[in-house]
Amino acid sequence: MEDERPIADLVRMYLTREGFGVHVEYDGSAGLAAARKLRPVACVLDIGLPGLTGTEICQQLRAGGDWTPVLFLTARDDEIDRILGLEQGADDYLTKPFSPRELVARIKAVLRRTAGPPEGERVRQAGGIVLDPGRRSVQAGGVPVALTPTEFDLLAHLLHRPGRVYTREELLASVWGYAAHAGTRTVDVHVAQVRAKLGASGSVIRTVRGVGYTADA
Ligand code: CA
């Protein structure tokens, strides 16, 4: 969803070329309706839209239990923390002006993440958290926790080898699937979100000062 037609046209062109079916809406309300009706594999949401803003669309999708991967487009750097904030459920973002190739790469990365791990991966447990990769479900203290696909993959990665310390760059490469130029702050923001959602069990994810993060065994 993008109200600037030249940008929308460019995104459509690049994604179509990659074999994606693309549906464009130029207005927020129409965009939300289309997302609900068409059930896309991913949504690219401009923040500044007439009707509903991109963040309002995302909030409404999430409120309705729709966890379709969302990649935000923003014209403002200072919006990033808010976009990635707990209540928004964003999976990634790009700041305008962006390269359409980068957008394609990010969408593919988000789809790889949300495709889930191979069958038969073991259930991981630590500090009251039970993470089931096959069902993509997480419980903390016996209570189901709703994580975005990115948050899930981040937690799964940390729980894969409890005690191992992962640098932010490693997590960015493994979980997000792209190199560190994207900014390691993304990792910090997502770790904070996962911790908050896990409640008391969130302390399992420990910050290793000056290095990165680990999950306590
Ligand atoms: Ca706009």
Side-chain angles (χ1 to χ4, degrees):
M1 295 141 216
E2 170 62 79
D3 58 321
E4 290 169 73
R5 290 190 184 243
I7 297 180
D9 289 348
L10 199 64
V11 167
R12 184 208 297 273
M13 190 181 83
Y14 272 80
L15 287 175
T16 304
R17 192 190 283 169
E18 292 291 326
F20 290 104
V22 183
H23 179 91
V24 178
E25 293 287 350
Y26 305 96
D27 168 272
S29 310
L32 178 62
R36 285 182 168 152
K37 179 160 167 267
L38 300 173
R39 296 263 155 197
V41 293
C43 289
V44 179
L45 296 179
D46 180 30
I47 301 281
L49 286 171
L52 293 169
T53 66
T55 48
E56 285 167 343
I57 293 170
C58 186
Q59 276 171 334
Q60 294 206 21
L61 288 174
R62 299 308 189 226
D66 184 333
W67 295 91
T68 303
V70 165
L71 190 148
F72 281 115
L73 302 178
T74 171
R76 291 169 47 193
D77 257 333
D78 60 355
E79 281 184 327
I80 292 168
D81 283 337
R82 196 168 57 77
I83 293 168
L84 293 176
L86 186 59
E87 75 280 9
Q88 303 292 357
D91 293 282
D92 206 347
Y93 69 91
L94 282 174
T95 308
K96 294 178 184 178
F98 59 90
S99 133
R101 280 201 185 82
E102 180 68 14
L103 177 67
V104 169
R106 297 292 185 89
I107 289 174
K108 286 182 173 174
V110 126
L111 292 177
R112 270 199 303 279
R113 296 204 295 277
T114 54
E119 292 288 319
E121 275 207 60
R122 67 185 171 81
V123 171
R124 297 159 200 186
Q125 298 192 43
I129 300 166
V130 180
L131 180 145
D132 184 338
R135 307 167 80 166
R136 288 188 78 77
S137 69
V138 175
Q139 292 198 346
V143 180
V145 180
L147 299 181
T148 68
T150 305
E151 290 164 0
F152 182 91
D153 288 346
L154 175 62
L155 182 61
H157 201 78
L158 289 168
L159 292 181
H160 185 58
R161 285 174 61 193
R164 171 157 174 347
V165 179
Y166 296 91
T167 66
R168 291 173 176 81
E169 288 78 10
E170 276 181 297
L171 290 170
L172 205 53
S174 308
V175 177
W176 277 261
Y178 49 77
H181 71 266
T184 50
R185 192 166 56 134
T186 300
V187 177
D188 297 334
V189 173
H190 277 86
V191 166
Q193 286 170 204
V194 173
R195 275 188 183 134
K197 287 188 177 179
L198 292 174
S201 301
S203 59
V204 163
I205 305 176
R206 195 160 49 80
T207 305
V208 181
R209 207 167 285 279
V211 186
Y213 296 99
T214 187
D216 283 330

